Amino acid sequence: LFLEVIKQIKNPIDYIFIPIGGGGLISGAINIFKQLSPKTKIIGIEPAGAPSMKESIIKNKIIKLHKIDNFVDGAAVHKIGTIPFEFCKDYLDELLVIDEGEICQSILDLKSIEKINSEPAGAMSSAALRMYKEKIVNKNVVCIICGGNNDNERMPEIEKRAMIWKESVSISPEDKVDHAKSDSFSFSKLLMPSPKFGVSREILINLDIAFSLLNPLLSTLMIWLFKISNDERYSIVSLNS
């Protein structure tokens, strides 16, 4: 997977955002990128309700969490793997912990804007962009959206969690965009609460990779590549599977 990403993207990748569950996916990224693209910053993301990697890195040993929030079911684990722990402890550039409510907002944005049915674990990478909105200007950014195993019956809970999160960060009216009235695609929702970020829809991302080798329940793995310019416009470029 990550060899394919490096092969298909012509320009250097500045940041890659990857969800962490047991740690297998991000271990593969570290193994490839640190050898073939060492300047790429690898950013791992965990849900706030199950930060097993973060706690292990802080304690410098693998920690088993006795109580976790299972909402982000694809990434909520009590204990991370031994090899992923060693990889992340030594080579991960940064580890972010994202509130489940912000992940829910990302799920809603992906569904309403890009028509992507992402599971909670998959939506963590795009949710993390808000925390990096200043650092990624004029950078090439890749987000891994790792799976679409999401049941529509969960949507009421997802919407409720997203609403609670938005209220907690005091989202102002100007941060909200009516996408139905414009052909331009805006990431102001994904990067809330800043209203000034936007994107012109240049090329739709078209990479859908079968994810059955990692988990037969996951339907697709999608990769987003963004180029953020100095005028804070996000140009979407495509990858081909």
Side-chain angles (χ1 to χ4, degrees), residues 5-117:
V5 171
I6 290 177
K7 179 180 178 181
Q8 293 190 34
I9 298 175
K10 304 302 180 183
N11 296 322
I13 299 169
D14 297 299
Y15 291 92
I16 183 167
F17 291 81
I18 304 173
I20 297 178
L25 184 64
I26 200 162
S27 295
I30 290 172
N31 187 28
I32 295 300
F33 275 92
K34 290 304 179 183
Q35 295 184 75
L36 303 182
S37 183
K39 292 184 178 181
T40 299
K41 299 294 184 183
I42 302 174
I43 314 300
I45 309 120
E46 285 190 299
S52 54
M53 182 67 78
K54 178 184 177 182
E55 293 300 320
S56 297
I57 290 176
I58 290 174
K59 300 291 178 57
N60 199 31
K61 64 179 181 179
I62 295 177
I63 300 296
K64 182 178 181 179
L65 302 179
H66 296 290
K67 184 179 180 180
I68 62 174
D69 183 342
N70 288 313
F71 176 77
V72 186
D73 46 5
V77 298
H78 290 273
K79 182 180 178 181
I80 47 93
T82 302
I83 294 176
F85 169 68
E86 296 296 333
F87 270 60
C88 290
K89 177 172 65 72
D90 295 335
Y91 300 109
L92 189 63
D93 291 292
E94 188 167 356
L95 177 57
L96 305 178
V97 176
I98 304 291
D99 184 87
E100 278 78 3
E102 187 165 7
I103 295 169
C104 288
Q105 184 61 52
S106 181
I107 293 171
L108 297 177
D109 290 328
L110 290 171
K111 188 176 183 67
S112 65
I113 299 169
E114 281 296 330
K115 312 306 177 187
I116 295 173
N117 185 39

Side-chain angles (χ1 to χ4, degrees), residues 185-218:
F185 172 86
S186 173
F187 272 92
S188 62
K189 281 190 174 183
L190 289 177
L191 300 175
M192 288 189 296
S194 172
K196 63 183 179 179
F197 291 88
V199 60
S200 57
R201 186 186 293 276
E202 293 184 356
I203 309 173
L204 289 179
I205 295 166
N206 60 4
L207 178 59
D208 273 332
I209 299 177
F211 209 37
S212 58
L213 290 179
L214 295 178
N215 187 336
L217 296 178
L218 301 182

Side-chain angles (χ1 to χ4, degrees), residues 2 13-19 26 41-45 96 124-133 136 140-145 226:
F2 296 107
I13 299 169
D14 297 299
Y15 291 92
I16 183 167
F17 291 81
I18 304 173
I26 200 162
K41 299 294 184 183
I42 302 174
I43 314 300
I45 309 120
L96 305 178
M124 290 199 298
S125 57
S126 55
L129 292 178
R130 187 180 71 89
M131 300 176 70
Y132 261 69
K133 63 187 178 186
I136 59 178
N140 292 312
V141 179
V142 171
C143 288
I144 304 297
I145 304 176
F226 305 105

